[in-house]
Amino acid sequence: MKGNKEAGYTLIEGIIQLSVLMLFSQVFAITVGLLHKVEDNVTNPTEIEWALFIQDVETYLNHVEIIMVQREDMGIRFRKNEEEFDIEIYENLIRKQKNRLGHEQMLLHVKSISVNLEGNSLKFAVEFMNGIKKEHTFYVTFHSK
């Protein structure tokens, strides 16, 4: 009698290999989904633009002579170093004006803003065109005479 030396798959080996393949395909699908979410957060310019906007506005809110919230133009007006500045919404962006001349774009793709001033705390709440909402509270320091 000859020994059985034929190579081949048994049913059990096929089931084990299929199970391993299914396990790795699930891990791969979850990994791709997580990477997609991370990529959206990393490549979304809204986060970077918002951080730059906050940094820019903070530089203007030190040693302010007077500050007021503009309800009709949805923004703020303040005096600093004998000059008047406006930070307000204009069409779909937030702009800065110096002495009501020209304008400098500060934040793009803005749907709406809300500004509240309580004491030395100035709160900006912004909704972007893509639906993202951001808030930040600034501390305003006043110029002492």
Side-chain angles (χ1 to χ4, degrees), residues 86-103:
D86 294 320
I87 297 176
E88 61 194 8
I89 193 165
Y90 176 76
E91 295 180 4
N92 64 346
L93 59 93
I94 296 178
R95 69 177 180 181
K96 178 189 73 174
Q97 284 186 306
K98 183 177 174 182
N99 297 322
R100 299 184 190 162
L101 299 172
H103 76 240

Side-chain angles (χ1 to χ4, degrees), residues 3-128:
N4 188 1
K5 294 186 180 182
E6 293 180 21
Y9 288 111
T10 64
L11 180 61
I12 300 295
E13 289 173 329
I15 291 173
I16 291 172
Q17 288 182 356
L18 184 61
S19 299
V20 169
L21 176 67
M22 289 175 61
L23 176 68
F24 280 119
S25 67
Q26 291 298 315
V27 169
F28 180 74
I30 291 170
T31 304
V32 168
L34 290 174
L35 285 176
H36 181 67
K37 286 182 182 179
V38 168
E39 180 188 14
D40 283 348
N41 289 337
V42 170
T43 60
N44 187 352
T46 304
E47 297 293 330
I48 296 169
E49 290 172 358
W50 178 248
L52 291 172
F53 171 74
I54 290 171
Q55 185 179 8
D56 196 15
V57 171
E58 282 179 343
T59 61
Y60 290 103
L61 297 179
N62 294 323
H63 306 292
V64 173
E65 295 166 13
I66 188 169
I67 188 168
M68 66 183 111
V69 175
Q70 297 178 311
R71 297 290 175 207
E72 63 279 349
D73 293 330
M74 296 301 295
I76 59 171
R77 176 171 289 153
F78 59 94
R79 268 186 92 66
K80 181 178 180 175
N81 300 329
E82 305 288 325
E83 295 180 313
E84 191 173 77
F85 295 92
D86 294 320
I87 297 176
E88 61 194 8
I89 193 165
Y90 176 76
E91 295 180 4
N92 64 346
L93 59 93
I94 296 178
R95 69 177 180 181
K96 178 189 73 174
Q97 284 186 306
K98 183 177 174 182
N99 297 322
R100 299 184 190 162
L101 299 172
H103 76 240
E104 176 185 329
Q105 299 174 350
M106 296 183 81
L107 191 60
L108 303 175
H109 311 294
V110 175
K111 184 176 180 181
S112 65
I113 67 169
S114 172
V115 183
N116 293 315
L117 179 65
E118 292 181 17
N120 287 27
S121 296
L122 176 68
K123 181 179 176 183
F124 265 83
V126 175
E127 182 178 359
F128 291 91

